[in-house]
PDB file of all heavy atoms in Angstrom:
ATOM      1  N   PHE A 153      77.662 231.140-128.163  1.00  0.00           N
ATOM      2  CA  PHE A 153      76.258 231.223-127.792  1.00  0.00           C
ATOM      3  C   PHE A 153      75.351 230.817-128.988  1.00  0.00           C
ATOM      4  O   PHE A 153      74.427 229.999-128.822  1.00  0.00           O
ATOM      5  CB  PHE A 153      75.919 232.652-127.398  1.00  0.00           C
ATOM      6  CG  PHE A 153      75.998 232.873-125.935  1.00  0.00           C
ATOM      7  CD1 PHE A 153      77.101 233.439-125.363  1.00  0.00           C
ATOM      8  CD2 PHE A 153      74.914 232.564-125.066  1.00  0.00           C
ATOM      9  CE1 PHE A 153      77.242 233.675-124.003  1.00  0.00           C
ATOM     10  CE2 PHE A 153      75.013 232.791-123.693  1.00  0.00           C
ATOM     11  CZ  PHE A 153      76.152 233.312-123.163  1.00  0.00           C
ATOM     12  N   LEU A 154      75.665 231.239-130.201  1.00  0.00           N
ATOM     13  CA  LEU A 154      74.767 230.962-131.303  1.00  0.00           C
ATOM     14  C   LEU A 154      74.844 229.472-131.649  1.00  0.00           C
ATOM     15  O   LEU A 154      73.832 228.834-131.907  1.00  0.00           O
ATOM     16  CB  LEU A 154      75.223 231.814-132.543  1.00  0.00           C
ATOM     17  CG  LEU A 154      75.048 233.283-132.436  1.00  0.00           C
ATOM     18  CD1 LEU A 154      75.537 233.956-133.777  1.00  0.00           C
ATOM     19  CD2 LEU A 154      73.606 233.657-132.207  1.00  0.00           C
ATOM     20  N   GLU A 155      76.027 228.796-131.698  1.00  0.00           N
ATOM     21  CA  GLU A 155      76.116 227.380-131.984  1.00  0.00           C
ATOM     22  C   GLU A 155      75.546 226.593-130.966  1.00  0.00           C
ATOM     23  O   GLU A 155      74.868 225.550-131.190  1.00  0.00           O
ATOM     24  CB  GLU A 155      77.596 227.133-132.353  1.00  0.00           C
ATOM     25  CG  GLU A 155      78.121 227.829-133.660  1.00  0.00           C
ATOM     26  CD  GLU A 155      79.250 227.063-134.259  1.00  0.00           C
ATOM     27  OE1 GLU A 155      79.182 225.801-134.365  1.00  0.00           O
ATOM     28  OE2 GLU A 155      80.153 227.696-134.781  1.00  0.00           O
ATOM     29  N   THR A 156      75.933 226.935-129.689  1.00  0.00           N
ATOM     30  CA  THR A 156      75.372 226.119-128.558  1.00  0.00           C
ATOM     31  C   THR A 156      73.850 226.087-128.520  1.00  0.00           C
ATOM     32  O   THR A 156      73.143 225.178-128.146  1.00  0.00           O
ATOM     33  CB  THR A 156      75.957 226.685-127.224  1.00  0.00           C
ATOM     34  OG1 THR A 156      77.371 226.608-127.311  1.00  0.00           O
ATOM     35  CG2 THR A 156      75.508 225.765-126.068  1.00  0.00           C
ATOM     36  N   THR A 157      73.292 227.213-128.993  1.00  0.00           N
ATOM     37  CA  THR A 157      71.810 227.289-129.050  1.00  0.00           C
ATOM     38  C   THR A 157      71.233 226.798-130.221  1.00  0.00           C
ATOM     39  O   THR A 157      70.280 225.959-130.226  1.00  0.00           O
ATOM     40  CB  THR A 157      71.465 228.852-128.949  1.00  0.00           C
ATOM     41  OG1 THR A 157      72.034 229.414-127.706  1.00  0.00           O
ATOM     42  CG2 THR A 157      69.930 229.051-128.874  1.00  0.00           C
ATOM     43  N   ALA A 158      71.714 227.252-131.447  1.00  0.00           N
ATOM     44  CA  ALA A 158      71.047 226.898-132.783  1.00  0.00           C
ATOM     45  C   ALA A 158      71.089 225.399-133.039  1.00  0.00           C
ATOM     46  O   ALA A 158      70.082 224.860-133.504  1.00  0.00           O
ATOM     47  CB  ALA A 158      71.682 227.707-133.849  1.00  0.00           C
ATOM     48  N   ASN A 159      72.206 224.674-132.688  1.00  0.00           N
ATOM     49  CA  ASN A 159      72.266 223.316-133.104  1.00  0.00           C
ATOM     50  C   ASN A 159      71.210 222.362-132.346  1.00  0.00           C
ATOM     51  O   ASN A 159      70.404 221.694-133.054  1.00  0.00           O
ATOM     52  CB  ASN A 159      73.649 222.755-132.866  1.00  0.00           C
ATOM     53  CG  ASN A 159      74.604 223.165-133.960  1.00  0.00           C
ATOM     54  OD1 ASN A 159      74.549 222.891-135.138  1.00  0.00           O
ATOM     55  ND2 ASN A 159      75.621 223.904-133.561  1.00  0.00           N
ATOM     56  N   PRO A 160      71.139 222.484-131.019  1.00  0.00           N
ATOM     57  CA  PRO A 160      70.092 221.683-130.316  1.00  0.00           C
ATOM     58  C   PRO A 160      68.669 222.174-130.631  1.00  0.00           C
ATOM     59  O   PRO A 160      67.705 221.415-130.647  1.00  0.00           O
ATOM     60  CB  PRO A 160      70.478 221.757-128.856  1.00  0.00           C
ATOM     61  CG  PRO A 160      71.266 223.014-128.719  1.00  0.00           C
ATOM     62  CD  PRO A 160      72.052 223.132-130.020  1.00  0.00           C
ATOM     63  N   TYR A 161      68.536 223.517-130.918  1.00  0.00           N
ATOM     64  CA  TYR A 161      67.268 224.023-131.185  1.00  0.00           C
ATOM     65  C   TYR A 161      66.757 223.458-132.487  1.00  0.00           C
ATOM     66  O   TYR A 161      65.600 223.039-132.622  1.00  0.00           O
ATOM     67  CB  TYR A 161      67.392 225.564-131.318  1.00  0.00           C
ATOM     68  CG  TYR A 161      65.985 226.275-131.183  1.00  0.00           C
ATOM     69  CD1 TYR A 161      64.891 225.614-130.812  1.00  0.00           C
ATOM     70  CD2 TYR A 161      65.939 227.715-131.478  1.00  0.00           C
ATOM     71  CE1 TYR A 161      63.714 226.337-130.663  1.00  0.00           C
ATOM     72  CE2 TYR A 161      64.747 228.356-131.351  1.00  0.00           C
ATOM     73  CZ  TYR A 161      63.644 227.643-130.991  1.00  0.00           C
ATOM     74  OH  TYR A 161      62.461 228.407-130.802  1.00  0.00           O
ATOM     75  N   ILE A 162      67.561 223.373-133.467  1.00  0.00           N
ATOM     76  CA  ILE A 162      67.239 222.706-134.883  1.00  0.00           C
ATOM     77  C   ILE A 162      66.903 221.246-134.569  1.00  0.00           C
ATOM     78  O   ILE A 162      65.902 220.772-135.088  1.00  0.00           O
ATOM     79  CB  ILE A 162      68.432 222.863-135.836  1.00  0.00           C
ATOM     80  CG1 ILE A 162      68.469 224.367-136.277  1.00  0.00           C
ATOM     81  CG2 ILE A 162      68.169 221.973-137.027  1.00  0.00           C
ATOM     82  CD1 ILE A 162      67.364 224.899-137.100  1.00  0.00           C
ATOM     83  N   LEU A 163      67.693 220.588-133.781  1.00  0.00           N
ATOM     84  CA  LEU A 163      67.398 219.148-133.520  1.00  0.00           C
ATOM     85  C   LEU A 163      66.016 218.995-132.950  1.00  0.00           C
ATOM     86  O   LEU A 163      65.362 217.939-133.143  1.00  0.00           O
ATOM     87  CB  LEU A 163      68.472 218.586-132.587  1.00  0.00           C
ATOM     88  CG  LEU A 163      69.909 218.312-133.160  1.00  0.00           C
ATOM     89  CD1 LEU A 163      70.816 217.934-132.081  1.00  0.00           C
ATOM     90  CD2 LEU A 163      69.801 217.233-134.223  1.00  0.00           C
ATOM     91  N   SER A 164      65.595 219.866-132.108  1.00  0.00           N
ATOM     92  CA  SER A 164      64.285 219.815-131.395  1.00  0.00           C
ATOM     93  C   SER A 164      63.098 220.182-132.195  1.00  0.00           C
ATOM     94  O   SER A 164      61.976 219.916-131.700  1.00  0.00           O
ATOM     95  CB  SER A 164      64.313 220.624-130.120  1.00  0.00           C
ATOM     96  OG  SER A 164      64.367 222.012-130.419  1.00  0.00           O
ATOM     97  N   MET A 165      63.380 220.745-133.363  1.00  0.00           N
ATOM     98  CA  MET A 165      62.194 221.233-134.199  1.00  0.00           C
ATOM     99  C   MET A 165      61.581 220.130-135.027  1.00  0.00           C
ATOM    100  O   MET A 165      61.487 220.239-136.267  1.00  0.00           O
ATOM    101  CB  MET A 165      62.615 222.418-135.061  1.00  0.00           C
ATOM    102  CG  MET A 165      62.902 223.649-134.439  1.00  0.00           C
ATOM    103  SD  MET A 165      63.419 224.938-135.513  1.00  0.00           S
ATOM    104  CE  MET A 165      63.845 226.311-134.421  1.00  0.00           C
ATOM    105  N   GLY A 166      61.149 219.063-134.438  1.00  0.00           N
ATOM    106  CA  GLY A 166      60.425 218.072-135.143  1.00  0.00           C
ATOM    107  C   GLY A 166      60.779 216.649-134.555  1.00  0.00           C
ATOM    108  O   GLY A 166      61.349 216.567-133.442  1.00  0.00           O
ATOM    109  N   PRO A 167      60.416 215.560-135.256  1.00  0.00           N
ATOM    110  CA  PRO A 167      60.554 214.205-134.691  1.00  0.00           C
ATOM    111  C   PRO A 167      62.084 213.904-134.544  1.00  0.00           C
ATOM    112  O   PRO A 167      62.942 214.325-135.308  1.00  0.00           O
ATOM    113  CB  PRO A 167      60.036 213.366-135.860  1.00  0.00           C
ATOM    114  CG  PRO A 167      59.144 214.255-136.699  1.00  0.00           C
ATOM    115  CD  PRO A 167      59.744 215.565-136.576  1.00  0.00           C
ATOM    116  N   ARG A 168      62.369 213.127-133.495  1.00  0.00           N
ATOM    117  CA  ARG A 168      63.758 212.688-133.247  1.00  0.00           C
ATOM    118  C   ARG A 168      64.335 211.884-134.426  1.00  0.00           C
ATOM    119  O   ARG A 168      65.467 211.946-134.658  1.00  0.00           O
ATOM    120  CB  ARG A 168      63.860 211.824-131.993  1.00  0.00           C
ATOM    121  CG  ARG A 168      63.606 212.739-130.767  1.00  0.00           C
ATOM    122  CD  ARG A 168      64.050 211.994-129.501  1.00  0.00           C
ATOM    123  NE  ARG A 168      63.915 212.728-128.255  1.00  0.00           N
ATOM    124  CZ  ARG A 168      64.311 212.318-127.139  1.00  0.00           C
ATOM    125  NH1 ARG A 168      64.932 211.212-126.985  1.00  0.00           N
ATOM    126  NH2 ARG A 168      64.056 213.129-125.996  1.00  0.00           N
ATOM    127  N   LYS A 169      63.496 211.067-135.016  1.00  0.00           N
ATOM    128  CA  LYS A 169      64.057 210.217-136.112  1.00  0.00           C
ATOM    129  C   LYS A 169      64.535 210.974-137.320  1.00  0.00           C
ATOM    130  O   LYS A 169      65.391 210.504-138.166  1.00  0.00           O
ATOM    131  CB  LYS A 169      62.945 209.140-136.602  1.00  0.00           C
ATOM    132  CG  LYS A 169      61.762 209.819-137.250  1.00  0.00           C
ATOM    133  CD  LYS A 169      60.771 208.756-137.624  1.00  0.00           C
ATOM    134  CE  LYS A 169      59.476 209.322-138.353  1.00  0.00           C
ATOM    135  NZ  LYS A 169      58.538 208.248-138.660  1.00  0.00           N
ATOM    136  N   THR A 170      64.082 212.188-137.506  1.00  0.00           N
ATOM    137  CA  THR A 170      64.660 213.106-138.644  1.00  0.00           C
ATOM    138  C   THR A 170      65.599 214.174-138.084  1.00  0.00           C
ATOM    139  O   THR A 170      65.886 215.045-138.818  1.00  0.00           O
ATOM    140  CB  THR A 170      63.467 213.691-139.397  1.00  0.00           C
ATOM    141  OG1 THR A 170      62.686 214.551-138.524  1.00  0.00           O
ATOM    142  CG2 THR A 170      62.610 212.619-140.015  1.00  0.00           C
ATOM    143  N   ALA A 171      66.023 214.083-136.797  1.00  0.00           N
ATOM    144  CA  ALA A 171      66.822 215.146-136.246  1.00  0.00           C
ATOM    145  C   ALA A 171      68.193 215.312-136.969  1.00  0.00           C
ATOM    146  O   ALA A 171      68.547 216.468-137.259  1.00  0.00           O
ATOM    147  CB  ALA A 171      67.109 214.836-134.750  1.00  0.00           C
ATOM    148  N   THR A 172      68.837 214.194-137.270  1.00  0.00           N
ATOM    149  CA  THR A 172      70.136 214.342-137.912  1.00  0.00           C
ATOM    150  C   THR A 172      69.980 214.951-139.366  1.00  0.00           C
ATOM    151  O   THR A 172      70.768 215.790-139.769  1.00  0.00           O
ATOM    152  CB  THR A 172      70.777 212.962-138.087  1.00  0.00           C
ATOM    153  OG1 THR A 172      71.058 212.450-136.705  1.00  0.00           O
ATOM    154  CG2 THR A 172      72.117 213.080-138.703  1.00  0.00           C
ATOM    155  N   GLN A 173      68.925 214.517-140.099  1.00  0.00           N
ATOM    156  CA  GLN A 173      68.626 215.090-141.416  1.00  0.00           C
ATOM    157  C   GLN A 173      68.360 216.561-141.313  1.00  0.00           C
ATOM    158  O   GLN A 173      68.788 217.431-142.145  1.00  0.00           O
ATOM    159  CB  GLN A 173      67.530 214.413-141.983  1.00  0.00           C
ATOM    160  CG  GLN A 173      67.776 212.995-142.533  1.00  0.00           C
ATOM    161  CD  GLN A 173      66.545 212.320-143.086  1.00  0.00           C
ATOM    162  OE1 GLN A 173      65.794 211.544-142.345  1.00  0.00           O
ATOM    163  NE2 GLN A 173      66.196 212.611-144.324  1.00  0.00           N
ATOM    164  N   ARG A 174      67.614 216.902-140.232  1.00  0.00           N
ATOM    165  CA  ARG A 174      67.233 218.372-140.110  1.00  0.00           C
ATOM    166  C   ARG A 174      68.427 219.177-139.779  1.00  0.00           C
ATOM    167  O   ARG A 174      68.649 220.306-140.330  1.00  0.00           O
ATOM    168  CB  ARG A 174      66.207 218.455-138.926  1.00  0.00           C
ATOM    169  CG  ARG A 174      65.584 219.790-138.721  1.00  0.00           C
ATOM    170  CD  ARG A 174      64.262 219.768-137.870  1.00  0.00           C
ATOM    171  NE  ARG A 174      64.432 218.983-136.683  1.00  0.00           N
ATOM    172  CZ  ARG A 174      63.955 217.654-136.550  1.00  0.00           C
ATOM    173  NH1 ARG A 174      63.293 217.067-137.506  1.00  0.00           N
ATOM    174  NH2 ARG A 174      64.115 217.055-135.366  1.00  0.00           N
ATOM    175  N   LEU A 175      69.376 218.753-138.925  1.00  0.00           N
ATOM    176  CA  LEU A 175      70.521 219.489-138.627  1.00  0.00           C
ATOM    177  C   LEU A 175      71.437 219.526-139.849  1.00  0.00           C
ATOM    178  O   LEU A 175      72.050 220.572-140.122  1.00  0.00           O
ATOM    179  CB  LEU A 175      71.266 218.824-137.464  1.00  0.00           C
ATOM    180  CG  LEU A 175      72.562 219.530-136.940  1.00  0.00           C
ATOM    181  CD1 LEU A 175      72.266 220.975-136.594  1.00  0.00           C
ATOM    182  CD2 LEU A 175      73.321 218.710-135.873  1.00  0.00           C
TER     183      LEU A 175
END
Side-chain angles (χ1 to χ4, degrees):
F153 266 95
L154 294 180
E155 295 205 39
T156 303
T157 304
N159 284 296
Y161 199 12
I162 289 292
L163 287 173
S164 70
M165 288 183 185
R168 287 194 180 188
K169 66 181 180 181
T170 60
T172 300
Q173 288 176 261
R174 187 161 49 255
L175 183 59

